[in-house]
Amino acid sequence: MNNREVDITCDLMIIGTGMAGMAAALFAAERNIKTVQAGQAGQLGFASGLIDVLGVHPASGAQIVDNPWQGISRLRREQPDHPYARMEIPEIQTAVQAVLTFLEKSGYPHISHVEKNMHMITPAGTIKPTYALPHTMAKGPAARAEQKPCLLVDFKGFKGFSGRQITESLADSWPGLRPVRIGFPGTSGELYTERMARALEAPANRRKLVDAVLPLLGDAQIVAFPAVLGISRTLEVTDDLEAGLGVPVFEIPTMLPAATGLRLREKFEHQLRAMGIQPFFQHAVSDVAASADRGWIFTVENQAGCRRIAARAAILCSGRFFGQGLHADRGGIRETIFDLPVVQPTGRAAWHHKDLLHPEGHPVNQAGLAVDDSFRPVDNQGRAIRNDLFTAGSILAHQDWMRQKCGSGLAIATAYRAVNACRDFLALGQTPYL
Amino acid sequence: MQTQVLIIGAGVTGTGLARDLALRGVSCVVVEKRDINAGASGGNHGLLHSGARYIVSDPAAARECHRENRLLKSMAPHCIEQTGGIFVAVTGDDEKYAADFPERCRQCEIPVRTLDTDEVRQMEPALASELIAAFEVDDAAIDPFKLSLDNIAHARQQGCRLLRYSRVTGFDITNSRIRHTKVLDELTGQTRHIEAEVVVNAAGAWAGIIAELAGAQIRMHYSKGSLLVTQSRIARRVVNRLRMPTDGDILVPGGTVSILGTSSCRVDSPDKIYPEIPEIDAIIDEGSAMIPELATTRYIRAYCGVRPLPADNRGKDENADDRCVSRGYELIEHARQPEKIENLITITGGKLTTYRLMAEKTADRVCRRLGIQEPCRTRSEPLPDTVDARWTEPGLAPDTWLRKSNSDDVLLCECEMVPESIVTEIVEGIRGQDGRPDLKAIGLRSRIGKGPCQGTFCSQRLAAFLYDQGHLENREGIDELRAFLRERWRGQQPLLWNRSLARAELLEAMHCGLFSIEL
Ligand SMILES: Cc1cc2nc3c(=O)[nH]c(=O)nc-3n(C[C@H](O)[C@H](O)[C@H](O)COP(=O)(O)OP(=O)(O)OC[C@H]3O[C@@H](n4cnc5c(N)ncnc54)[C@H](O)[C@@H]3O)c2cc1C
Ligand SMILES: Cc1cc2nc3c(=O)[nH]c(=O)nc-3n(C[C@H](O)[C@H](O)[C@H](O)COP(=O)(O)OP(=O)(O)OC[C@H]3O[C@@H](n4cnc5c(N)ncnc54)[C@H](O)[C@@H]3O)c2cc1C
């Protein structure tokens, strides 16, 4: 293996381009670690574009957390296996803040109340607790709290997003919502989020949108749209609409695939490259070999061909079943790249509850990689398997981000610890084996 | 509310009986605690038996099946796919059973043709290579949803009324007659009293529970069977394992999919039943001995139903396989039973294949009680193909949508290509029957939610559309989403490995991770 030809040599290989992989690449770049990143990211990994830290605890009690940091300190006591329990709260705060600062500098600022979760409206007419919202959505929760008269615009042909559904569902808590349906400027037939969001980057389309909405404004003091207000120039799009309409605007998340996911992906892909990460976006890691002296040799490929990359250390951020970091067959669950041991319920019968919405959450969602305090995958004795292999994000065991509403926060925080541990390893020049 | 006949249960028996009676000019009301085919009629294999499966265990039922098989093929051809069927034995199967098979078929007047093993593998390339015997019979695939929906639609044209979500909770009985039947409206919580000259208990596996409400006793056992739907169709014909009936020994095609089954497990109650994982695994393992591909193919749904087994019919051996119990039906006139209720008749047991015969025999008794002389017309009058049931057929919605190619008619379900216009048509149909067009009812009447996305996307799109059209109000949509996804989940939960597990994760990421519908 070792003598096969290597195309690229680096210190750190990051596998995955979801939130965990991107956050890890950002932290690695900030620490001047020579890094290659490979992954097959669609925008789905970022989905709604909300940055959750901890929205619900305990999940089984469906208890909405008001202050995420107080929530985490309780979680750390009550679920000592949870990945958050391996970290200190200031460290998690620093990590999340670093990503928010990065997004702000990239022209896509986010708003958070630091000590308090925000309550965001969803297209199902429900309310979801979250930590930080993109600036495009930020004015929504306050307008709802103040019961401002609000015009909710949706578009003919944009399925799965009904202003009426949202208005009817929230009638008790926000009687001032008023839905209107208009045609999307310059189109007919079925509408797709990405196309709409890109269309609104053109000033002419924004003008048409303003012209269509102005006559409907009535007493509205704020206007809501589905989350299609631009991709890379959201600040410009929202400023322009607000100037044209004379009132503030905000977005409500859409179903998937969402423009919000695309925005995050574009920002990361663009900026990380500029910060010196060597990217293999849309590439799969198809093979890996470990060597005693040189860390790892990865084979990375896409349709165009394959590359061999030697790295002194690796951070695995390959996600769960949807991200393809984990794979299940009838007999059990395995980790797809290194074949690491996976903590899992015994037997498929114990994977899921018979009720989809069972308050305990499905046990299979807590399956994943067990780690030590350096976020190195461990064996069933709790011993790190290698010194030069770290992991972060949703692949970690003992968490259920979907029920706990902690997806992005967990991805970012664990990536932060993993990168720092990896930096220490690289600085010490240890051997890969313990 | 008054009627000549009240029918309890809208499975294939109840709906078939409604049509039979309606065609004889009898006024009837059908009450159903949930929706059409909520019981065994919606949880079966969809096999129109040639009868060959029962030649040893129940020759009388075998004969009956065969006669009805031929009759239904001419009376309801639009509900049936004339696939033909084969029986195959693999190495290790009982050779004597195989050797006796053709003669026993002939004794039951079931046509059978001996196939050589090369020929059969050419006919069905998916079959295992180690075959030791093969025969061809005239099995077929029947769509039970279309059948029941068409039966009730035809009955309604003759004046019959259907009350869905209406559960029978008790009877007012005086002087050995049911004066009123108490029916709870599950949606409004109100109880109505229905006055009928004759009450027919066609509640399938629940028949014993209904009888008990009237102070009568029918001893019953419940045998649950589970089935698995493959993502694509694996064989052209019905494929049966040539041996005494057991687990995982039949594969029935149904449009673009195949259905593998079944199992037989005793359960204590016909309610709250699930396809269990060990059962599913056993079915797959057995099925793949006959068709190896079944071990690796993708399954999109599992479901189950309960067979009512009249306890008195059972053999002496307490541990005998429930599949050996007669599949013949039970027709009980309670006037002649110890409880002596003049106007209650129970029809239970039997098979989908023989539903028409069961309805005929029951209607004969009902008419005798009512003093009506009209003969049965379902033997000679074809079942009309109605629009109510049109959109349950795989492939029809996409064809229609592609042909019309109207870009304003957006697809609410992209997997099965169901556009707004079809949903509108279904909604109008449900409204026309005084029904509420909820997500589950629309799902039942179309392919929505049955594709690979498992309902992730179409559920919310459908909810949004129903709000837009004014069919949903207030917070109803959230309850609807929960109910629809929970219902879909029942069928997915035992099959979540490989890509299906990834899709289930996406479903939960969107509906819990983002929408927080569990909160
Ligand atoms: C529907 C949905 C809704 C969401 N809503 C929210 C929300 O409201 N709030 C919130 O904070 N977060 C939300 N998220 C995002 C989510 O919480 C986290 O961002 C995510 O779960 C963390 O992901 P990750 O980076 O660990 O894994 P993933 O995002 O799954 O990324 C895994 C990465 O690994 C790559 N990979 C796997 N195997 C290989 C291989 N062999 N070779 C190369 N690459 C490989 C994949 O291609 C992918 O890039 C949502 C996500 C989804 C899908
Ligand atoms: C696993 C399995 C596979 C099968 N495969 C086949 C096959 O391939 N071919 C074949 O010919 N036969 C098959 N059968 C048999 C066939 O499905 C049944 O014989 C047939 O569906 C029975 O129909 P039914 O209308 O009598 O009962 P059901 O369909 O069970 O109808 C009874 C109805 O009564 C309703 N009800 C119950 N209680 C109340 C109440 N209190 N008030 C109002 N309504 C009530 C229920 O909701 C239900 O809808 C199979 C059965 C099972 C279980």
Side-chain angles (χ1 to χ4, degrees):
Chain A
M1 273 290 183
N2 289 342
N3 38 25
R4 272 208 254 154
E5 211 173 301
V6 165
D7 301 293
I8 298 163
T9 307
C10 63
D11 286 330
L12 172 61
M13 174 77 173
I14 295 173
I15 303 162
T17 44
M19 185 58 95
M22 293 302 195
L26 170 68
F27 300 136
E30 287 175 346
R31 283 156 188 70
N32 293 314
I33 300 173
K34 190 178 177 209
T35 304
V36 171
Q37 185 184 12
Q40 299 172 290
Q43 71 222 58
L44 280 178
F46 306 105
S48 64
L50 310 182
I51 307 234
D52 301 352
V53 169
L54 185 72
V56 177
H57 181 78
S60 57
Q63 196 76 43
I64 293 183
V65 168
D66 196 41
N67 178 331
W69 313 112
Q70 281 173 5
I72 291 179
S73 64
R74 209 180 139 189
L75 171 83
R76 285 160 46 94
R77 285 195 305 274
E78 293 169 3
Q79 290 180 36
D81 285 339
H82 196 283
Y84 271 151
R86 298 193 177 276
M87 302 188 66
E88 300 302 323
I89 288 174
E91 189 185 3
I92 302 171
Q93 288 171 325
T94 306
V96 172
Q97 193 48 50
V99 169
L100 296 183
T101 304
F102 163 82
L103 290 172
E104 172 140 31
K105 278 199 231 143
S106 315
Y108 188 42
H110 282 58
I111 309 315
S112 64
H113 294 328
V114 188
E115 297 294 318
K116 210 170 155 46
N117 274 326
M118 288 191 272
H119 290 176
M120 191 55 202
I121 299 169
T122 84
T126 51
I127 298 294
K128 166 189 157 118
T130 188
Y131 178 69
L133 292 173
H135 72 94
T136 52
M137 296 181 180
K139 291 169 185 160
R144 176 166 160 265
E146 292 162 26
Q147 303 272 303
K148 280 202 177 133
C150 174
L151 184 71
L152 170 44
V153 177
D154 68 11
F155 300 107
K156 190 170 176 298
F158 187 47
K159 59 196 180 188
F161 191 99
S162 158
R164 218 172 138 155
Q165 176 177 12
I166 297 168
T167 312
E168 285 277 336
S169 305
L170 296 179
D172 290 345
S173 65
W174 197 353
L177 265 184
R178 172 165 56 93
V180 289
R181 172 155 298 184
I182 60 174
F184 191 76
T187 55
S188 72
E190 201 163 320
L191 295 170
Y192 297 95
T193 37
E194 180 175 353
R195 232 184 282 159
M196 294 160 80
R198 293 210 188 277
L200 289 180
E201 305 227 310
N205 288 326
R206 297 203 286 269
R207 225 166 300 129
K208 282 190 211 152
L209 182 58
V210 166
D211 290 344
V213 173
L214 260 184
L216 305 167
L217 209 51
D219 66 343
Q221 291 173 22
I222 188 163
V223 178
F225 292 98
V228 295
L229 305 184
I231 298 280
S232 53
R233 289 200 292 273
T234 50
L235 281 169
E236 192 182 312
V237 176
T238 48
D239 281 355
D240 223 22
L241 290 176
E242 292 185 342
L245 293 169
V247 292
V249 302
F250 73 95
E251 292 181 324
I252 295 174
T254 64
M255 280 177 66
L256 311 181
T260 41
L262 202 56
R263 288 173 192 160
L264 286 172
R265 194 183 93 185
E266 281 201 5
K267 293 296 177 211
F268 276 117
E269 286 191 358
H270 193 228
Q271 303 294 330
L272 289 175
R273 214 183 288 261
M275 292 169 82
I277 299 292
Q278 186 167 2
F280 287 89
F281 298 138
Q282 311 303 336
H283 281 64
V285 174
S286 57
D287 190 35
V288 58
S291 65
D293 56 332
R294 276 162 67 198
W296 303 96
I297 299 174
F298 294 96
T299 308
V300 161
E301 63 179 68
N302 68 359
Q303 307 90 307
C306 94
R307 297 291 200 93
R308 296 174 59 74
I309 298 160
R312 287 175 60 207
I315 304 184
L316 181 65
C317 308
S318 52
R320 305 185 63 76
F321 303 99
F322 184 68
Q324 293 180 8
L326 299 176
H327 180 89
D329 57 29
R330 279 205 279 150
I333 302 168
R334 63 188 170 78
E335 185 280 315
T336 55
I337 297 177
F338 299 88
D339 201 15
L340 295 166
V342 176
V343 176
Q344 54 190 292
T346 37
R348 188 157 61 83
W351 289 1
H352 296 95
H353 294 290
K354 292 196 163 79
D355 177 9
L356 170 65
L357 304 177
H358 194 289
E360 294 293 335
H362 300 293
V364 75
N365 292 333
Q366 307 251 357
L369 304 183
V371 291
D372 64 9
D373 284 347
S374 298
F375 284 87
R376 294 176 299 195
V378 294
D379 60 20
N380 55 16
Q381 312 290 316
R383 285 180 311 235
I385 289 163
R386 297 254 306 194
N387 237 349
D388 56 357
L389 179 60
F390 305 83
T391 183
S394 60
I395 195 172
L396 295 170
H398 308 301
Q399 53 85 24
D400 184 345
W401 70 266
M402 300 185 282
R403 298 298 180 92
Q404 299 178 306
K405 321 298 168 198
C406 64
S408 300
L410 187 81
I412 293 165
T414 56
Y416 185 82
R417 171 68 73 85
V419 170
N420 283 342
C422 179
R423 175 199 53 197
D424 296 346
F425 162 78
L426 291 169
L428 286 173
Q430 291 173 343
T431 61
Y433 293 105
L434 290 165
Chain B
M1 184 185 277
Q2 279 186 324
T3 178
Q4 281 180 294
V5 181
L6 176 69
I7 300 170
I8 304 168
V12 67
T13 310
T15 55
L17 176 61
R19 173 175 182 249
D20 188 313
L21 287 170
L23 287 174
R24 301 191 206 206
V26 178
S27 87
C28 30
V29 171
V30 181
V31 289
E32 164 56 53
K33 71 176 155 103
R34 285 170 56 202
D35 203 340
I36 302 282
N37 283 10
S41 303
N44 66 64
H45 215 151
L47 167 56
L48 184 65
H49 283 287
S50 61
R53 183 171 168 83
Y54 302 113
I55 48 172
V56 175
S57 58
D58 195 348
R63 276 201 188 87
E64 218 166 66
C65 275
H66 190 252
R67 282 196 295 268
E68 286 297 309
N69 170 308
R70 302 184 72 163
L71 191 61
L72 288 180
K73 281 176 181 166
S74 63
M75 289 301 122
H78 61 284
C79 296
I80 295 167
E81 188 187 336
Q82 300 225 16
T83 57
I86 54 176
F87 277 77
V88 293
V90 303
T91 315
D93 286 347
D94 181 353
E95 292 182 24
K96 172 124 176 37
Y97 190 91
D100 293 346
F101 185 80
E103 182 47 34
R104 288 192 190 261
C105 281
R106 267 171 227 123
Q107 281 167 9
C108 295
E109 295 158 62
I110 297 168
V112 58
R113 183 166 77 94
T114 307
L115 301 169
D116 74 49
T117 51
D118 287 341
E119 187 182 4
V120 72
R121 292 213 36 194
Q122 247 166 29
M123 289 161 71
E124 294 296 349
L127 284 170
S129 49
E130 313 82 32
L131 300 179
I132 55 169
F135 300 95
E136 186 174 29
V137 294
D138 55 4
D139 286 333
I142 181 161
D143 179 345
F145 285 97
K146 216 165 156 52
L147 191 66
S148 292
L149 290 168
D150 281 344
N151 268 305
I152 199 70
H154 197 207
R156 291 180 60 247
Q157 285 167 19
Q158 324 295 317
C160 163
R161 289 194 61 187
L162 166 67
L163 306 175
R164 297 182 305 133
Y165 298 107
S166 299
R167 175 198 296 270
V168 170
T169 55
F171 300 100
D172 289 331
I173 300 173
T174 43
N175 298 334
S176 296
R177 279 188 74 82
I178 297 177
R179 304 290 154 173
H180 294 108
T181 302
K182 284 183 258 184
V183 178
L184 173 73
D185 184 324
E186 298 269 15
L187 301 177
T188 64
Q190 280 165 356
T191 293
R192 66 170 117 202
H193 295 251
I194 301 181
E195 212 181 307
E197 290 170 49
V198 178
V199 176
V200 181
N201 168 14
W206 293 267
I209 299 169
I210 297 286
E212 219 163 276
L213 295 176
Q217 240 209 357
I218 308 176
R219 287 226 315 134
M220 280 181 44
H221 291 301
Y222 307 113
S223 159
K224 179 185 65 166
S226 296
L227 299 131
L228 286 81
V229 185
T230 61
Q231 166 145 306
S232 52
R233 182 163 171 164
I234 288 177
R236 286 173 55 202
R237 295 168 187 76
V238 175
V239 182
N240 303 268
R241 185 85 168 261
L242 180 55
R243 62 176 182 191
M244 281 296 279
T246 169
D247 285 352
D249 58 355
I250 313 183
L251 184 72
V252 181
T256 56
V257 302
S258 290
I259 302 169
L260 175 64
T262 175
S263 49
S264 176
C265 312
R266 275 293 173 88
V267 286
D268 296 332
S269 140
D271 291 300
K272 297 220 167 60
I273 51 160
Y274 296 89
E276 301 284 349
I277 284 167
E279 231 183 318
I280 296 296
D281 285 347
I283 293 173
I284 294 176
D285 292 342
E286 283 292 337
S288 42
M290 191 165 71
I291 298 179
E293 198 180 325
L294 291 171
T296 52
T297 194
R298 178 155 179 239
Y299 294 93
I300 55 175
R301 199 157 58 86
Y303 60 97
C304 59
V306 176
R307 309 175 185 96
L309 301 174
D312 303 334
N313 255 1
R314 293 191 63 244
K316 288 185 202 75
D317 180 1
E318 265 297 316
N319 297 316
D321 188 312
D322 284 340
R323 266 167 300 226
C324 298
V325 174
S326 170
R327 295 288 151 93
Y329 55 88
E330 290 273 297
L331 177 54
I332 304 165
E333 289 200 71
H334 295 275
R336 299 185 185 159
Q337 299 294 316
E339 62 274 7
K340 288 216 186 331
I341 297 169
E342 291 301 326
N343 58 343
L344 178 64
I345 296 177
T346 291
I347 173 74
T348 181
K351 273 180 277 297
L352 173 63
T353 307
T354 53
Y355 90 95
R356 194 213 58 82
L357 181 68
M358 291 161 66
E360 174 181 340
K361 296 292 179 204
T362 312
D364 285 349
R365 301 283 178 97
V366 170
C367 286
R368 201 181 313 148
R369 297 236 150 236
L370 293 171
I372 290 172
Q373 304 281 305
E374 290 296 320
C376 173
R377 283 165 57 192
T378 60
R379 273 181 188 279
S380 51
E381 182 160 331
L383 179 66
D385 186 0
T386 63
V387 292
D388 285 21
R390 263 170 69 187
W391 307 115
T392 61
E393 191 180 321
L396 182 58
D399 282 357
T400 313
W401 185 76
L402 288 172
R403 227 173 320 114
K404 285 193 189 152
S405 72
N406 171 0
S407 68
D408 282 334
D409 192 11
V410 302
L411 290 177
L412 294 178
C413 167
E414 292 179 354
C415 303
E416 300 283 328
M417 297 178 83
V418 184
E420 287 182 352
S421 59
I422 290 179
V423 171
T424 303
E425 193 182 310
I426 293 169
V427 164
E428 280 164 9
I430 297 172
R431 282 256 180 244
Q433 296 172 23
D434 314 321
R436 211 178 67 106
D438 53 289
L439 259 60
K440 269 160 70 180
I442 294 168
L444 180 72
R445 287 163 181 77
S446 69
R447 306 280 313 154
I448 286 186
K450 302 194 174 108
C453 93
Q454 306 174 344
T456 306
F457 298 99
C458 50
S459 54
Q460 163 58 15
R461 291 191 194 124
L462 193 54
F465 180 71
L466 292 180
Y467 270 107
D468 288 341
Q469 304 297 311
H471 300 303
L472 289 178
E473 291 176 338
N474 306 319
R475 291 175 52 83
E476 285 172 352
I478 296 158
D479 295 333
E480 286 288 311
L481 273 179
R482 291 192 190 120
F484 179 81
L485 291 170
R486 280 183 154 132
E487 172 68 24
R488 294 280 94 209
W489 180 257
R490 285 170 58 91
Q492 294 152 11
Q493 183 266 343
L495 300 175
L496 298 178
W497 65 88
N498 209 332
R499 273 167 53 217
S500 306
L501 181 55
R503 290 206 161 111
E505 192 177 87
L506 181 61
L507 181 148
E508 208 183 336
M510 191 163 98
H511 289 274
C512 297
L514 176 55
F515 296 169
S516 307
I517 64 167
E518 85 282 15
L519 292 182

